[in-house]
């Protein structure tokens, strides 16, 4: 269902035919922005509810501007991750590299449902969130390649990127969840009507510390949105083999929960808005399970096909890709043109290329940064090197 | 009859020689085996030998092991003996300890020892102390194993060395193999030991091949826990090390030998109980001691060794203060240039030797 100015299809050609009749030539190929549908409403999937009377709305409004922005951001994420894949295979990125391609609707949809002044924390599949939370592609890529221009000055790497109100990037499975509730505690304590989005995966969902956190967040009514990104596999273990209950949205027990189509950005956005409203009204925590999928293996050292079939991956790609879904919606509702989206693709590609260029040419951090950042607001101190005669310097 | 292993060169292609009288001879049927395969063999043999032995951990079964150490074992032994766990260390470590208390002999794998911190209460309070607390009633025959220490580019949360932490605790045995032979012989010993053993492997060593003597290939090849090994004989300085750093010590020794400095390289093999006697005997010969480890300096393995030497008979034989070569006292950075400068390099060992010998 859509409200559109579809009569444009009729007016412009009519005008053209008028002009042709008067002998002037009219080029109709370049369409003005007035040609496009400025806004449309879409049906979205109903969320499964747990301990909730009502859920998010069943329709979502999307403006042209929003649509183009979501498209651009998701495409940027996609290309950035694929470039990271390339650089990893060239051994320019080292160590661990966990890629997010396939899950873009989650990161973009969540951010669309909250404010930048809210807080967010996630696990190690974090490049996309670093972007939505204010990081630039340049800084992210330079961090992956371990250069001084990286968002953590090259010292953190793939799993340890931070920005304002974004607490990483965490390498230990599940540990970020109590941290997120702690951030929420601070939000409530400081009374600024902010909340914390606290993400974890289906593998982490079985961690004890998460249940401890559910208990305290609920007892103390912390403004915390727990979000389980269920991409069906915890490293190489499918959800059925790891969890006695795979209804992750119900695992909060006394915490109300929603199960959301994580491949549909509008679904994610509406659910997030709903959840944010719940928290901000003082009702305490809420839990969202986003059903999503990762195209890559768990990390770059996992081919990703020993525990799932290539057919499965291909099927998700062809039927549920989040970027394709948004693109189809916009095109079939005349909210953008093929050329326009292609142009965005070209711009994104260029941005990624430039960032990769920076990331591969920026110098590595200077050696005198080695021992810095041990303590905050501390006078400079001496740090032992590899032997007693080597004394290094550390400043805050 | 004394049989001495001597002159092992650096990790890449270690040659083991059995000394008979004055003759050096390589074992006729020696083969090249990687540390990974040695560990795999050890587990395979012990699983076959004793029904009560089983392996549990993340990705150990159907994935063949995150680092492929348990490759083929699930296919061979099935679900009952090779168990994939959810990502819940505190939980499954506790389950493993409980199983050990009730008569089984579990091998509990931590994907890396960094994740063992989530379970450390079970390792220390439930496993290590129980035999004592029960005054001998309740043994806990369990092995906790996995990669320890720095890898390559895995950053701060994945690069910590836990040798000092675990070795601090009475009731635990802590083993840190270097070569393929070490890996196999010590893991078999650990599994057969009736006490909780923390078995610290090293990811960077997994793929390194070593020559394995015919003797070491046998199904009953055991290396006793608590005994160090002299990998290289020397007269001028004693280098004491464990795990991957043994390779660096041997490389440094090879360089120094060209300058006429002969290093005695001791491979600790076991951190707890510490073979202080082997170190003391060596110091009484060389009069100089340098410990080399990848972990942090404060309260580290080297610190303990130096303390023991101070308190023991070998102190009077030292011609210079004993010295520690360690990792830099910082969380592990990611960038390659920073990471390389965060752990001991061969040049650091060489530098420390020369400073100690005052040359």
């Amino acid at each position: 269902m859509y409200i559109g100015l579809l009569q444009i299809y009729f007016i412009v050609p009519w005008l053209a035919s008028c002009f042709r009749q008067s002998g002037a030539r009219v080029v109709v190929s370049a369409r003005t922005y007035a040609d496009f549908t400025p806004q449309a409403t879409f049906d979205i999937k109903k969320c499964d509810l747990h301990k909730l009377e009502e859920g998010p709305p069943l329709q979502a409004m999307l403006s042209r501007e929003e649509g183009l922005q979501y498209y651009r951001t998701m495409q940027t994420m996609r290309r950035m991750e694929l470039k990271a894949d390339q650089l990893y295979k060239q051994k320019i990125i080292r160590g661990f590299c966990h890629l997010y391609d396939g899950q873009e609707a989650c990161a973009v949809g969540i951010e669309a449902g909250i404010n930048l002044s809210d807080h967010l924390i996630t696990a190690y599949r974090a490049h996309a969130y670093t972007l939505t939370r204010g990081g630039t592609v340049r800084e992210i890529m330079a961090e992956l390649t371990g250069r001084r221009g990286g968002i953590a000055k090259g010292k953190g790497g793939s799993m340890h990127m931070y920005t304002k109100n974004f607490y990483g990037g965490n390498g230990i499975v599940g540990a970020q969840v109590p941290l997120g509730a702690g951030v929420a505690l601070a939000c409530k304590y400081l009374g600024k009507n902010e909340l914390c989005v606290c993400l974890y995966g289906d593998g982490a969902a079985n961690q004890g510390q998460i249940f401890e956190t559910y208990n305290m967040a609920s007892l103390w009514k912390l403004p915390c949105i727990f979000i389980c990104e269920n991409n069906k596999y915890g490293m190489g273990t499918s959800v059925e083999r790891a969890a006695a209950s795979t209804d992750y949205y119900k695992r909060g027990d006394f915490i109300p929960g929603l199960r959301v189509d994580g491949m549909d950005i509008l679904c994610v956005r509406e659910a997030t808005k709903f959840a944010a409203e719940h928290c901000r009204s003082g009702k305490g925590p809420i839990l969202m399970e986003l059903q999503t999928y990762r195209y890559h293996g768990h990390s770059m050292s996992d081919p990703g096909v020993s525990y799932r079939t290539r057919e499965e991956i291909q099927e998700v790609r062809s039927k549920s890709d989040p970027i394709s879904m948004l693109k189809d919606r916009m095109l079939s509702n005349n909210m953008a043109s093929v050329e326009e989206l292609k142009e965005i693709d070209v711009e994104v590609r260029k941005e990624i290329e430039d960032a990769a260029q920076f990331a591969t040419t920026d110098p590595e951090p200077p050696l005198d940064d080695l021992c810095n950042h041990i303590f905050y607001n501390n006078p400079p101190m001496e740090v032992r090197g590899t032997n007693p005669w080597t004394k290094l310097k550390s400043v805050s | 009859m004394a049989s001495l292993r001597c002159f092992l060169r650096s990790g890449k292609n270690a040659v083991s020689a059995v000394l008979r009288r004055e003759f050096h001879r390589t074992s006729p049927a020696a083969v090249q085996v990687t540390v990974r395969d040695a560990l795999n063999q050890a587990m395979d043999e012990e699983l076959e030998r004793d029904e009560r032995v089983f392996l549990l951990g993340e990705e150990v079964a159907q994935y063949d092991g995150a680092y492929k150490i348990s490759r083929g074992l699930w296919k061979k032994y099935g679900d009952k003996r090779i168990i994939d766990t959810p990502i819940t260390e505190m939980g499954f470590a506790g389950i493993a300890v409980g199983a050990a208390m009730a008569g089984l002999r579990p091998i509990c794998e931590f994907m890396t020892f960094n994740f063992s911190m989530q379970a450390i209460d079970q390792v220390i309070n439930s496993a290590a102390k129980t035999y004592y607390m029960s005054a001998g009633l309740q043994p806990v025959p369990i092995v906790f194993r996995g990669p320890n220490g720095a890898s390559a580019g895995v950053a701060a949360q994945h690069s910590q060395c836990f040798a000092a932490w675990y070795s601090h605790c009475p009731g635990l045995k802590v083993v840190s193999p270097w070569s393929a032979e070490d890996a196999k012989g010590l893991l078999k010993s650990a599994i057969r030991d009736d006490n909780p053993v923390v078995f610290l492997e090293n990811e960077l060593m997994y793929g390194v091949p070593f020559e394995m003597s015919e003797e070491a290939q046998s199904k009953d090849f055991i290396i006793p826990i608590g005994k160090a090994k002299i990998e290289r004989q020397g007269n001028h300085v004693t280098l004491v090390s464990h795990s991957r750093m043994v390779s660096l010590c041997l490389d440094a020794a090879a360089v120094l030998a060209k300058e006429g400095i002969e290093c005695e390289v001791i491979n600790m093999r076991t951190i707890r109980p510490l073979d202080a006697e082997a170190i003391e005997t060596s110091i009484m010969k060389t009069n100089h001691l340098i410990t080399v480890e990848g972990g942090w300096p404060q309260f580290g393995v080297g610190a303990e060794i130096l303390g023991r030497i101070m308190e023991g008979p070998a102190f009077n034989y030292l011609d210079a203060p004993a010295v520690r070569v360690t990792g830099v006292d910082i969380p592990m950075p990611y960038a390659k240039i920073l990471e390389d400068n965060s752990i001991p390099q061969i040049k650091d060992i060489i530098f420390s030797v020369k400073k100690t010998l005052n040359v």
Side-chain angles (χ1 to χ4, degrees):
Chain A
M1 243 195 323
Y2 48 86
I3 309 160
L5 296 167
L6 287 179
Q7 53 268 46
I8 290 296
Y9 277 131
F10 303 105
I11 292 178
V12 169
W14 174 81
L15 279 172
S17 63
C18 289
F19 284 125
R20 255 183 253 122
Q21 280 162 11
S22 66
R25 289 190 65 202
V26 173
V27 177
V28 191
S29 57
R31 287 154 70 183
T32 66
Y33 294 132
D35 297 341
F36 293 118
T37 311
Q39 187 170 264
T41 306
F42 297 93
D43 283 341
I44 53 177
K45 242 187 237 171
K46 183 174 190 302
C47 296
D48 293 321
L49 302 177
H50 171 71
K51 299 239 163 91
L52 280 168
E53 292 296 315
E54 286 170 347
L58 298 175
Q59 290 186 328
M61 279 206 315
L62 178 71
S63 76
R64 198 182 110 80
E65 285 73 40
E66 283 170 343
L68 290 173
Q69 187 227 316
Y70 299 157
Y71 180 83
R72 181 184 291 271
T73 310
M74 289 203 286
Q75 195 67 293
T76 304
M77 275 174 195
R78 177 68 59 92
R79 298 259 127 238
M80 181 176 76
E81 296 294 77
L82 293 179
K83 179 55 84 175
D85 169 290
Q86 211 177 59
L87 291 173
Y88 192 91
K89 287 173 177 153
Q90 295 173 309
K91 298 193 198 293
I92 301 172
I93 297 177
R94 312 150 61 226
F96 293 132
C97 190
H98 308 87
L99 299 178
Y100 198 71
D101 50 313
Q103 301 187 210
E104 295 86 356
C106 298
V108 180
I110 289 169
E111 195 62 46
I114 58 174
N115 309 315
L116 259 177
S117 54
D118 290 317
H119 307 255
L120 190 142
I121 188 170
T122 186
Y124 44 76
R125 202 174 302 280
H127 308 159
Y129 289 99
T130 317
L131 193 69
T132 52
R133 291 259 100 201
T136 64
V137 182
R138 260 165 83 99
E139 308 176 290
I140 294 170
M141 300 213 76
E143 187 59 36
L144 291 175
T145 55
R147 307 302 166 101
R148 62 180 71 186
I151 202 165
K153 302 188 164 67
K155 296 168 88 164
S158 167
M159 298 181 290
H160 309 294
M161 300 193 195
Y162 304 82
T163 70
K164 185 171 192 308
N165 292 359
F166 173 56
Y167 304 85
N170 290 276
I172 305 300
V173 170
Q176 74 277 12
V177 178
L179 295 181
V183 171
L185 183 109
C187 289
K188 184 171 177 180
Y189 193 108
L190 295 169
K192 288 193 274 186
N193 198 26
E194 293 163 4
L195 52 79
C196 183
V197 174
C198 181
L199 291 132
Y200 55 95
D202 51 274
N206 303 307
Q207 278 264 325
Q209 55 190 324
I210 292 185
F211 293 90
E212 294 180 23
T213 307
Y214 288 159
N215 185 46
M216 286 182 274
S218 196
L219 268 178
W220 302 334
K221 291 207 166 15
L222 302 181
C224 195
I225 305 177
F226 294 110
I227 301 187
C228 176
E229 283 181 293
N230 177 6
N231 60 19
K232 298 187 171 52
Y233 300 95
M235 196 165 155
T237 305
S238 65
V239 292
E240 305 80 45
R241 292 206 304 124
S245 162
T246 54
D247 289 332
Y248 297 103
Y249 71 112
K250 289 186 184 168
R251 304 266 306 262
D253 190 6
F254 34 77
I255 297 182
L258 323 164
R259 181 157 56 192
V260 180
D261 178 359
M263 302 307 263
D264 179 352
I265 192 188
L266 293 178
C267 223
V268 177
R269 186 189 74 183
E270 292 311 308
T272 307
K273 280 187 178 164
F274 176 86
E277 160 61 33
H278 184 274
C279 285
R280 284 192 230 277
S281 64
K283 296 196 186 117
I286 187 169
L287 206 165
M288 273 165 56
E289 175 189 340
L290 302 181
Q291 295 192 302
T292 183
Y293 199 83
R294 54 166 162 82
Y295 296 144
H296 268 85
H298 161 75
S299 71
M300 285 304 298
S301 58
D302 169 27
V305 287
S306 64
Y307 48 86
R308 55 185 192 172
T309 61
R310 284 181 211 272
E311 289 74 41
E312 179 187 285
I313 305 171
Q314 200 31 52
E315 176 152 3
V316 176
R317 242 192 234 280
S318 55
K319 299 211 180 111
S320 317
D321 183 273
I323 301 178
S324 300
M325 208 192 287
L326 178 66
K327 181 174 175 180
D328 290 344
R329 269 183 173 145
M330 291 189 71
L331 288 178
S332 59
N333 288 280
N334 192 32
M335 294 178 81
S337 71
V338 172
E339 293 79 30
E340 191 175 19
L341 295 181
K342 268 210 179 77
E343 212 181 297
I344 294 179
D345 289 349
V346 168
E347 283 166 13
V348 165
R349 218 168 285 241
K350 181 165 192 315
E351 187 186 355
I352 305 300
E353 278 310 316
D354 286 348
Q357 178 63 14
F358 173 68
T360 48
T361 53
D362 196 39
E364 283 192 285
L367 268 180
D368 56 26
D369 200 29
L370 182 70
C371 298
N372 292 340
H373 313 115
I374 308 269
F375 289 127
Y376 181 49
N377 273 348
N378 213 53
M381 59 181 199
E382 204 174 78
V383 169
R384 189 193 200 269
T386 58
N387 59 71
W389 299 279
T390 304
K391 298 182 203 303
L392 305 169
K393 200 154 79 96
S394 174
V395 299
S396 286
Chain B
M1 192 202 40
S3 84
L4 282 172
R5 269 178 220 198
C6 65
F7 192 61
L8 266 99
R9 282 198 67 246
S10 76
K12 276 288 172 196
N13 258 303
V15 175
S16 93
V18 175
L19 176 64
R20 277 199 197 95
R21 304 214 180 151
E22 283 91 43
F23 293 114
H24 296 253
R25 218 177 277 149
T26 24
S27 244
V31 289
Q32 291 274 319
V33 181
T34 61
V35 171
R36 175 182 284 113
D37 290 341
L39 292 167
N40 186 277
Q41 277 172 30
M43 287 199 286
D44 193 355
E45 288 168 9
E46 294 306 298
L47 282 158
E48 195 176 294
R49 178 179 175 269
D50 188 340
E51 271 288 303
R52 302 167 299 169
V53 175
F54 72 99
L55 171 68
L56 90 172
E58 294 153 11
E59 311 295 349
V60 295
Q62 296 189 20
Y63 196 79
D64 270 340
Y67 298 101
K68 306 298 176 214
I69 309 300
S70 54
R71 191 194 287 127
L73 295 181
W74 175 68
K75 226 182 192 149
K76 186 171 174 185
Y77 295 101
D79 283 335
K80 180 177 164 186
R81 317 246 346 249
I82 313 290
I83 304 174
D84 271 339
T85 65
I87 309 173
T88 50
E89 277 78 5
M90 178 75 114
F92 71 69
I95 285 177
V97 173
M101 288 178 177
L104 298 183
R105 302 189 74 91
I107 306 168
C108 176
E109 177 177 303
F110 291 122
M111 196 180 281
T112 77
F113 264 94
N114 300 282
F115 313 142
S116 75
M117 275 203 284
Q118 292 202 323
I120 203 164
D121 174 70
Q122 297 289 11
V123 179
I124 305 297
N125 277 328
S126 301
K129 298 179 185 172
T130 296
Y131 192 66
Y132 181 89
M133 294 189 293
S134 66
L137 210 68
Q138 179 65 75
V140 185
I142 187 169
V143 175
F144 298 101
R145 51 158 290 272
N148 175 59
S151 178
V154 295
Q157 290 181 337
H158 289 75
S159 306
Q160 192 170 329
C161 175
F162 288 85
W165 281 32
Y166 286 116
S167 300
H168 188 60
C169 182
L172 273 185
K173 296 192 182 181
V174 181
V175 173
S176 185
W178 167 63
S179 63
E181 248 181 51
D182 286 356
K184 184 167 179 214
L186 288 169
L187 184 54
K188 286 167 77 74
S189 280
I191 295 168
R192 295 185 193 190
D193 200 305
D194 293 326
N195 296 288
V197 180
V198 168
F199 193 86
L200 304 170
E201 301 162 5
N202 186 290
E203 202 220 316
L204 296 174
M205 295 302 291
Y206 281 151
V208 178
F210 287 82
E211 199 158 295
M212 252 227 229
S213 64
E214 199 179 351
E215 185 201 346
Q217 291 166 53
S218 110
K219 284 193 175 173
D220 282 306
F221 173 69
I222 293 287
I223 292 178
I225 292 178
K227 288 263 158 278
K229 180 183 177 198
I230 300 174
E231 300 287 354
R232 184 190 200 282
Q233 298 248 347
N235 290 311
H236 300 133
V237 60
T238 302
L239 300 178
V240 180
S241 184
H242 70 100
S243 189
R244 194 176 86 88
M245 291 292 141
V246 174
S247 295
L248 268 75
C249 287
L250 289 169
D251 287 343
V255 173
L256 287 163
K258 297 198 186 110
E259 298 178 47
I261 300 172
E262 294 298 329
C263 304
E264 180 143 292
V265 177
I266 297 183
N267 170 10
M268 292 174 71
R269 286 180 158 177
T270 303
I271 319 286
R272 184 175 188 116
L274 206 147
D275 191 352
E277 200 187 315
I279 303 173
E280 284 162 352
T281 307
S282 180
I283 291 170
M284 291 180 192
K285 183 172 73 166
T286 68
N287 309 118
H288 298 86
L289 172 66
I290 296 177
T291 64
V292 183
E293 68 197 288
W296 293 317
Q298 193 155 327
F299 303 105
V301 174
E304 171 65 16
I305 293 173
L306 265 56
R308 293 238 195 153
I309 298 305
M310 289 271 275
E311 292 173 349
F315 171 71
N316 291 304
Y317 289 77
L318 284 173
D319 287 347
V323 143
R324 304 166 292 165
V325 173
T326 69
V328 177
D329 200 16
I330 53 172
M332 183 65 74
Y334 166 67
K336 186 162 198 322
I337 194 177
L338 296 182
E339 186 180 54
D340 288 346
N341 283 280
S342 301
I343 43 175
Q345 300 181 37
I346 296 169
K347 64 177 170 73
D348 297 318
I349 304 173
I350 294 172
F351 174 75
S352 302
V353 167
K354 290 185 173 175
K355 279 288 234 184
T356 303
L357 294 177
N358 206 16
V359 295

